[in-house]
Structures are given as structure tokens and as C-alpha cells.
């Protein structure tokens, strides 16, 4: 049973890292769920304070994930259409066969969204750039937190002091 819980926790850690890039998976929250599952294994000790603090951080990053791209878009004169375009561009970019689709998709999506909304290429380009910067900043932040949580996972696994079977 212990090994099963560790494997589930590891799966959640990997999904958390992927969730840093995929909009359908809340990355840091999923990684935190991996830490929580690890907490229930025998021989691994995670304090309640540690779990609460890491949960607060994961929730904070989850909220920021929605705020940062909007701030980037607004700061560069964009609209809600740019934010929606960024999200749709990300989804298309993920599944497209083009290289760097995950990076190109959000920018092109924001540009198209702003062109539909404003019909002014220069303003749309500026807003798309802001939306893209916000997306990159938000993704980077989620990725860093998910990697830190993976580090906690690895440290706790290495400190494990009982048998897995």
C-alpha cells in the first residue's frame, strides 16, 4: 500500500509540472496534492504547518495565474479578447505539430483576439505582447513552484525510514 501511495504522489508531482503549462490542470495545487498523498505514507513525515503553508502558496499561485496575464494584457493596452485569445492560442499551440507551439500559440492567439476586438494591428501587436509576457511570467511562476514541491518530494522520499513493502 505504501508503494502505491508513493507512486500516486509521484504521478501527481509529474502532473503538477505538466499543469504548469497545461491550462486544464492546476499545476502547483496538483503538486501539493502529491505532497499530501506522500504525507499519508508510513515513514514520511510532513508537518501540518508545512502542509498548510505549501497549500497557501499553491492557492496564491493559482489565483495569480488568472491575474498576471490580465495585468500584462491591460498594461500593454489589451482587452479581455486578448486574454481569451492567449488561452485559446495555448490550447491550439499544445496540440499543433509546429515547433514551439506552446510559445507561439499564446502570442498568435492574443494577436488574433486583439485584432478581432480592435482591428488595429499596432495596438493589437502591443497588447498581444503584453498578454504573452503575462502568460510566460505566470507559467514560469507555476513551473518554479511545482519544481520546488518536487524537490520537497525527493527530499522526503530520501529521508524515508521504513520498508516500502
Amino acid at each position: 500500500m505504501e508503494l502505491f501511495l508513493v507512486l500516486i504522489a509521484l504521478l501527481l508531482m509529474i502532473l503538477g509540472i505538466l499543469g504548469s503549462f497545461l491550462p486544464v490542470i492546476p499545476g502547483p495545487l496538483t503538486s501539493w496534492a502529491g505532497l499530501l498523498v506522500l504525507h499519508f505514507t508510513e515513514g514520511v513525515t510532513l508537518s501540518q504547518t508545512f502542509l498548510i503553508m505549501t497549500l497557501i502558496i499553491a492557492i496564491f499561485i493559482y489565483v495569480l495565474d488568472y491575474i498576471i496575464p490580465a495585468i500584462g494584457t491591460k498594461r500593454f493596452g489589451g482587452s479581455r479578447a486578448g486574454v481569451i485569445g492567449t488561452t485559446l492560442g495555448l490550447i491550439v499551440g499544445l496540440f499543433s505539430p509546429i515547433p514551439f507551439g506552446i510559445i507561439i500559440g499564446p502570442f498568435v492567439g492574443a494577436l488574433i483576439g486583439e485584432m478581432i476586438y480592435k482591428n488595429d494591428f499596432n495596438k493589437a501587436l502591443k497588447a498581444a505582447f503584453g498578454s504573452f509576457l503575462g502568460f510566460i511570467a505566470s507559467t514560469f511562476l507555476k513551473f518554479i513552484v511545482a519544481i520546488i514541491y518536487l524537490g520537497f518530494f525527493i527530499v522526503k522520499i530520501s529521508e524515508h525510514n521504513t520498508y516500502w513493502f
Side-chain angles (χ1 to χ4, degrees), residues 83-94:
V83 176
I84 292 169
T86 301
T87 304
L88 293 175
L90 171 65
I91 293 167
V92 170
L94 281 172

Side-chain angles (χ1 to χ4, degrees), residues 17-83:
I17 291 170
L18 291 174
S20 299
F21 303 100
L22 301 171
V24 294
I25 303 171
L29 284 173
T30 305
S31 291
W32 181 83
L35 291 175
L36 182 64
V37 170
L38 187 64
H39 171 71
F40 292 112
T41 61
E42 206 171 302
V44 175
T45 55
L46 297 170
S47 73
Q48 194 172 24
T49 304
F50 174 80
L51 287 172
I52 291 169
M53 292 305 295
T54 52
L55 176 61
I56 289 169
I57 291 168
I59 291 170
F60 181 68
I61 297 301
Y62 178 76
V63 171
L64 277 182
D65 185 38
Y66 290 98
I67 296 171
I68 291 173
I71 290 171
T73 303
K74 292 292 182 189
R75 191 116 162 106
F76 285 79
S79 66
R80 184 164 164 30
V83 176

Side-chain angles (χ1 to χ4, degrees), residues 73 76-90 103-133 135:
T73 303
F76 285 79
S79 66
R80 184 164 164 30
V83 176
I84 292 169
T86 301
T87 304
L88 293 175
L90 171 65
I103 295 171
I104 295 168
F107 179 79
V108 171
L111 181 62
I112 291 170
E114 290 298 333
M115 283 296 295
I116 290 170
Y117 181 74
K118 291 185 178 171
N119 204 15
D120 179 350
F121 182 76
N122 288 334
K123 287 183 180 179
L125 186 63
K126 185 178 175 185
F129 184 68
S131 181
F132 176 71
L133 284 179
F135 163 75

